[in-house]
Amino acid sequence: MNKLDVLIIGGGPIGIACGVEAGKAGLNYLIIEKGVLTNSIFHYPSNMTFFSTSEKLEMAGIPFMSIANKPTRTEALEYYRRIVKHYGLKIHLYEEATQLKKNPAGEFEVQTNKASYLADRLVMATGFYDLPNSMNVPGENLPKVSHYYKEPWPYIGQKVIVVGGGNSAVDVALETWRKGAEVTMVVMKPTIDRTVKYWVLPDIENRIKEGSIKAYFNSKIDSIEADHVWIDTPDGSVRLPNDFVLAMTGYRPNFALLDQLGVKLSLDEHKKPCYDSQSQESNVTGLYLAGVVCGGLNTREFFIENTIVHASYIMGDISQKKKVKG
């Protein structure tokens, strides 16, 4: 088994940035990604538009060209594909890390669904979009319930409940309503989230005000059944006829992988992993954290645009330590 200088887990934008910087530093590296290239972006809604402008998402010296000021999902997929091709990045797709451990020599042993690897350093750039937050209610596993949304066409003429009041929930509610769905929003908070994109917020508030989209605030799902849903509201329990439930309840990092190596988490509700903000090295020597995984459950602290720098921090630290050791 050949030993790598660094193994990068995650082939999203930040994992790609880490690969670019590793190559520039002359490190023997490999990126492994459990799904398609930039798997999380691939699973975004088809018509999704980024909050950030294209120039803020640029990396690796490659211009990010988009038709509008804010790029679309399709433009992002093409942009990151071009970066991988331009730099000839070493990346294995559809390969999932399953077991991680550190041996007595301080090396990382990584088992995937396809192979085994040995590496001096490990970078976790696993994001948070792959594991949805559960509602923990009866019926959540029914086929009509989904934590992901792709496009509005399956919901034409259907009774749809959208759970949540953030950007994803608002986008889903508006898009499905405009294609002919009967939409009801169930929001735990007293209002739509104030962080919703500023050009969308007036739209959803006006649709709710005029009654085009029904909304239950300070409310939550109690249970889901084949043809209806029970909602707990301030005015008591409400039974709503229903065809589909789209639970836009947010996502969380893969804590199980971090736990295998003993990464410490903060004791508050955010469960933020322990790491050095200068080098991105975690409390586990040689294990680095990159991208939004650094925020734990506080998924609004880190974005692509403010974590691209993690790649240079990490590879700079690895290169320096490699020189000292050598």
Side-chain angles (χ1 to χ4, degrees):
M1 183 190 306
N2 292 327
K3 186 168 70 171
L4 298 163
D5 290 326
V6 57
L7 179 64
I8 301 162
I9 301 178
I14 307 306
I16 290 172
C18 287
V20 171
E21 294 299 325
K24 288 180 178 179
L27 298 170
N28 179 23
Y29 75 93
L30 175 68
I31 304 170
I32 58 173
E33 165 56 55
K34 74 175 187 178
V36 306
L37 186 66
T38 58
N39 192 61
S40 293
I41 294 176
F42 174 75
H43 285 102
Y44 284 171
S46 298
N47 297 323
M48 178 264 187
T49 298
F50 280 79
F51 192 92
S52 301
T53 56
S54 56
E55 68 270 13
K56 290 184 178 179
L57 297 173
E58 288 181 356
M59 64 171 69
I62 305 295
F64 191 163
M65 308 300 293
S66 60
I67 295 175
N69 191 34
K70 294 178 171 61
T72 65
R73 164 187 171 272
T74 300
E75 289 170 332
L77 291 172
E78 173 60 15
Y79 176 66
Y80 296 115
R81 183 197 70 82
R82 288 193 295 110
I83 291 177
V84 170
K85 182 179 180 181
H86 177 82
Y87 284 96
L89 295 185
K90 302 171 187 176
I91 182 166
H92 290 181
L93 301 175
Y94 303 102
E95 184 166 352
E96 181 176 5
T98 55
Q99 294 183 349
L100 313 176
K101 70 175 182 179
K102 199 173 184 184
N103 64 28
E107 303 160 326
F108 293 94
E109 298 179 9
V110 177
Q111 180 67 47
T112 75
N113 59 330
K114 294 183 177 180
S116 299
Y117 300 97
L118 192 65
D120 284 329
R121 305 287 192 278
L122 190 64
V123 176
M124 300 287 287
T126 48
F128 68 86
Y129 194 64
D130 291 329
L131 299 173
N133 292 322
S134 173
M135 295 182 289
N136 296 312
V137 299
E140 186 168 2
N141 294 324
L142 288 172
K144 73 174 189 175
V145 181
S146 177
H147 286 272
Y148 294 93
Y149 170 81
K150 200 69 175 178
E151 52 190 1
W153 311 112
Y155 310 108
I156 296 171
Q158 304 299 295
K159 294 178 174 62
V160 175
I161 288 178
V162 178
V163 182
N167 275 300
S168 296
V170 168
D171 286 345
V172 169
L174 288 170
E175 193 167 278
T176 53
W177 170 73
R178 288 200 162 93
K179 297 304 179 185
E182 181 183 317
V183 178
T184 300
M185 299 185 72
V186 178
V187 185
M188 292 188 67
K189 295 179 180 180
T191 65
I192 294 295
D193 199 316
R194 297 296 95 185
T195 62
V196 165
K197 291 172 283 195
Y198 66 85
W199 63 93
V200 175
L201 187 57
D203 190 2
I204 188 64
E205 290 184 327
N206 286 332
R207 301 296 76 76
I208 293 172
K209 185 178 180 179
E210 71 188 16
S212 297
I213 293 176
K214 175 71 174 178
Y216 289 91
F217 294 103
N218 295 310
S219 303
K220 63 183 182 67
I221 299 288
D222 256 351
S223 65
I224 303 168
E225 300 187 30
D227 61 356
H228 65 274
V229 171
W230 286 98
I231 302 172
D232 182 14
T233 78
D235 297 321
S237 186
V238 175
R239 181 185 187 275
L240 290 179
N242 172 256
D243 298 306
F244 292 97
V245 175
L246 299 175
M248 303 293 103
T249 51
Y251 307 90
R252 65 186 186 277
N254 192 337
F255 288 124
L257 285 180
L258 299 178
D259 187 58
Q260 287 186 30
L261 290 170
V263 176
K264 294 179 181 178
L265 305 177
S266 65
L267 299 179
D268 60 17
E269 70 276 13
H270 297 310
K271 295 186 177 181
K272 186 175 180 179
C274 177
Y275 67 95
D276 183 332
S277 60
Q278 299 299 312
S279 65
Q280 298 299 127
E281 188 172 21
S282 73
N283 63 283
V284 179
T285 302
L287 172 60
Y288 295 81
L289 305 179
V292 296
V293 69
C294 296
L297 295 178
N298 184 12
T299 56
R300 295 180 178 179
E301 181 178 356
F302 295 105
F303 307 92
I304 297 173
E305 67 179 67
N306 68 2
T307 57
I308 295 171
V309 294
H310 290 178
S312 58
Y313 294 166
I314 291 169
M315 298 309 158
D317 192 69
I318 291 175
S319 296
Q320 180 63 33
K321 290 176 178 174
K322 186 176 172 62
K323 288 178 182 177
V324 172
K325 184 178 179 180

